[in-house]
Amino acid sequence: MPMEEIKLAASFKIDLADVDEATISEIYHLFTEYQGIVNELIEHAHSHKITSPKRLWCAKYRELRQRYPTLPSHYIHTACRHAASIYKSFVEMKKMGIPCEKEKPVFKRWTIWLDDHLFKLNIEGWRVSIIVHGGKWVTLRLLHGKYHDKFKSMELGEARLVLKKDGNLYLNVVFRQTIVLPEISADAKVIAIDVNENVVVYGNDDFVERFETNEGIIRTRYFLKRRRIQSRIRGRDLRTRLLGKYKERERRRVREIYYKAVKRIIDKAKEIGATVIVMEDLKHLNRKDKGSKELNGRIHRWSYRRFQRILEYKAKLCGLHVKYVNPRGTSKTCPICGDELEESSNGRRLRKCQRCGLEEDRDVIAVRNLTRRYYEECIDAKTPLKPLLIIGAG
Ligand SMILES: [Zn+2]
């Protein structure tokens, strides 16, 4: 039986009501020091082009250990991983061509990564203990609700200590769960997903459905809103606050829509008895398509990854397999004969095959090609292709 591990994050607000001043200032001190270390490590990563946490650790650990002798050494371990991941995603964004004015990333957040040497969780008593300077342990009470009960049966992973601007302290914990998935049979039913700026298209050789997300429209609206704020609001603090507020609101709206689309897809999979979800492997696309598409497309792909992560995790929880296939040319190739498609004169979204006469909506074509790729790439024996229903042509 194939096993997959899924991760689920839980966020706990920390009760600071009965915590004494000395402990609070000790925690604050930890945040400042950790942030300084991460920024120093990013600086080093940037000047030496290092994205590997291990290499970063080898280069800087001794020196940092000497300069921070009372800081538990695992903070330096996690800071190395933290800095490497920040620098790596910065490099990745640059590669995708997302414009960024900054030369190098700066870590401004108040977040500390905690590995299993730095914190202990007592989930029955809802307490967390965190090690601070000099190896002293500080125990804090976690505020919790019914929602948190389900984590009791899960395996504990890493955690993040987060200090919000309003002074509230949070502990975000990753829990792991191993999922046993059924074996995939060669004739497994699949649902392939094609995500466009404003619509999620999903289906296989037998059906294709759409879910309107209007994500592109929402993003444009927020973009214009932010631009208005930038040009009209004078006070710097107010401007920053408003920009932050709308950015968060946009993020939340898009996420909500993603969750709805994911639910629709999973319900459909259950309804038709599909056991595999097929998505585009964006790594292929980014490397080869670098710089060839307009900016919007690149930002869209960046957010598509977030959609993929949500769908992947929800699908696995429901016992579905998730497979990624090379999306190269999936909207330009005829799913029947493999010939190159041309734009049709019957409609902007239609594509036509000169060889076999197929005329179809380009989203439908992408979904069918992804389905076909799955059988080609993931199942050894190529399954014979079924003749397709032609929906697009009037
Ligand atoms: Zn054809």
Side-chain angles (χ1 to χ4, degrees):
M1 285 281 200
M3 307 244 272
E4 297 261 5
E5 187 181 69
I6 56 158
K7 288 176 179 172
L8 204 57
S11 184
F12 298 94
K13 191 172 176 181
I14 291 174
D15 186 7
L16 291 176
D18 299 323
V19 183
D20 60 86
E21 279 296 322
T23 306
I24 289 184
S25 68
E26 198 143 20
I27 294 170
Y28 283 6
H29 179 58
L30 202 60
F31 273 102
T32 325
E33 221 162 64
Y34 182 86
Q35 194 187 57
I37 293 173
V38 171
N39 276 321
E40 190 180 327
L41 288 164
I42 291 175
E43 183 84 50
H44 186 86
H46 179 66
S47 55
H48 294 78
K49 302 276 168 278
I50 298 175
T51 51
S52 139
K54 203 170 174 198
R55 278 185 58 205
L56 200 53
W57 184 87
C58 288
K60 296 285 286 180
Y61 177 74
R62 260 171 177 292
E63 180 203 330
L64 287 166
R65 195 80 190 92
Q66 272 167 5
R67 277 182 19 230
Y68 299 93
T70 59
L71 184 73
S73 65
H74 273 258
Y75 282 108
I76 302 172
H77 291 262
T78 57
C80 284
R81 284 198 283 121
H82 199 164
S85 98
I86 291 171
Y87 185 62
K88 199 177 168 187
S89 60
F90 176 80
V91 171
E92 220 175 298
M93 266 173 84
K94 283 249 162 176
K95 262 191 206 157
M96 288 176 87
I98 293 171
C100 181
E101 284 156 25
K102 277 177 267 164
E103 228 323 282
K104 58 165 194 273
V106 180
F107 177 56
K108 287 187 196 154
R109 289 186 184 203
W110 299 101
T111 302
I112 302 176
W113 283 15
L114 302 170
D115 67 11
D116 57 353
H117 291 84
L118 301 174
F119 82 108
K120 289 175 198 156
L121 192 71
N122 167 5
I123 199 153
E124 293 300 328
W126 302 108
R127 296 276 192 288
V128 64
S129 302
I130 294 159
I131 192 165
V132 294
H133 273 276
K136 202 177 101 188
W137 288 87
V138 167
T139 300
L140 302 160
R141 209 166 73 87
L142 301 171
L143 298 170
H144 56 93
K146 259 224 122 359
Y147 165 83
H148 291 107
D149 280 343
K150 68 171 168 204
F151 297 110
K152 285 185 175 174
S153 62
M154 293 177 79
E155 198 189 326
L156 181 65
E158 294 211 333
R160 281 158 205 204
L161 196 61
V162 180
L163 182 63
K164 292 267 172 85
K165 276 190 187 133
D166 55 14
N168 283 321
L169 193 62
Y170 290 84
L171 183 77
N172 297 339
V173 192
V174 173
F175 289 93
R176 287 190 298 251
Q177 194 174 334
T178 307
I179 302 272
V180 181
L181 296 172
E183 300 281 355
I184 307 182
S185 59
D187 61 346
K189 260 197 188 171
V190 310
I191 289 190
I193 324 286
D194 181 51
V195 180
N196 291 321
E197 235 191 326
N198 287 309
V199 63
V200 173
V201 188
Y202 56 98
N204 54 32
D205 285 348
D206 303 320
F207 82 99
V208 174
E209 286 179 11
R210 312 164 151 269
F211 183 93
E212 306 282 337
T213 59
N214 293 325
E215 186 187 336
I217 297 168
I218 293 167
R219 288 200 185 280
T220 309
R221 200 180 296 148
Y222 277 98
F223 171 76
L224 294 173
K225 202 173 263 180
R226 279 198 300 273
R227 215 166 55 178
R228 271 203 304 277
I229 292 168
Q230 259 154 351
S231 64
R232 286 189 198 161
I233 307 285
R234 285 286 160 83
R236 200 170 152 232
D237 285 352
L238 178 64
R239 199 167 56 215
T240 313
R241 213 179 64 225
L242 283 174
L243 288 174
K245 182 175 119 183
Y246 283 114
K247 203 173 159 192
E248 176 60 26
R249 210 177 268 182
E250 174 184 359
R251 205 180 62 84
R252 241 189 340 231
R253 273 216 55 202
V254 171
R255 196 180 53 191
E256 249 169 55
I257 296 167
Y258 281 173
Y259 272 102
K260 275 187 194 150
V262 162
K263 186 174 183 305
R264 177 83 69 83
I265 293 167
I266 290 175
D267 286 348
K268 187 72 188 181
K270 284 181 190 158
E271 183 194 317
I272 64 163
T275 49
V276 186
I277 299 284
V278 178
M279 286 192 278
E280 297 184 357
D281 186 348
L282 296 173
K283 276 180 223 135
H284 281 285
L285 212 59
N286 297 335
R287 231 189 357 256
K288 290 177 186 162
D289 263 12
K290 192 166 63 180
S292 70
K293 292 230 169 134
E294 77 276 34
L295 178 64
N296 259 354
R298 280 177 253 147
I299 289 176
H300 160 67
R301 261 173 279 159
W302 185 253
S303 107
Y304 182 20
R305 277 206 196 156
R306 278 180 36 216
F307 176 80
Q308 289 188 329
R309 273 190 218 118
I310 299 172
L311 178 54
E312 177 170 344
Y313 137 76
K314 288 274 182 190
K316 282 179 182 169
L317 260 188
C318 295
L320 301 168
H321 288 268
V322 176
K323 297 286 174 195
Y324 292 92
V325 298
N326 186 351
R328 190 82 185 149
T330 42
S331 55
K332 295 176 200 127
T333 315
C334 174
I336 296 179
C337 68
D339 227 35
E340 200 173 320
L341 296 169
E342 288 173 13
E343 291 199 15
S344 164
S345 52
N346 296 329
R348 208 167 57 86
R349 302 192 58 83
L350 292 180
R351 298 287 178 273
K352 197 176 164 78
C353 175
Q354 295 300 343
R355 198 202 284 178
C356 71
L358 170 94
E359 189 172 49
E360 186 63 279
D361 187 280
R362 62 172 187 196
D363 295 337
V364 175
I365 286 170
V367 161
R368 300 227 155 123
N369 275 321
L370 288 172
T371 306
R372 180 180 151 146
R373 286 265 161 98
Y374 163 75
Y375 290 115
E376 287 173 0
E377 287 181 19
C378 305
I379 306 284
D380 270 349
K382 288 182 185 178
T383 45
L385 292 167
K386 272 193 277 178
L388 300 175
L389 292 168
I390 300 178
I391 311 168

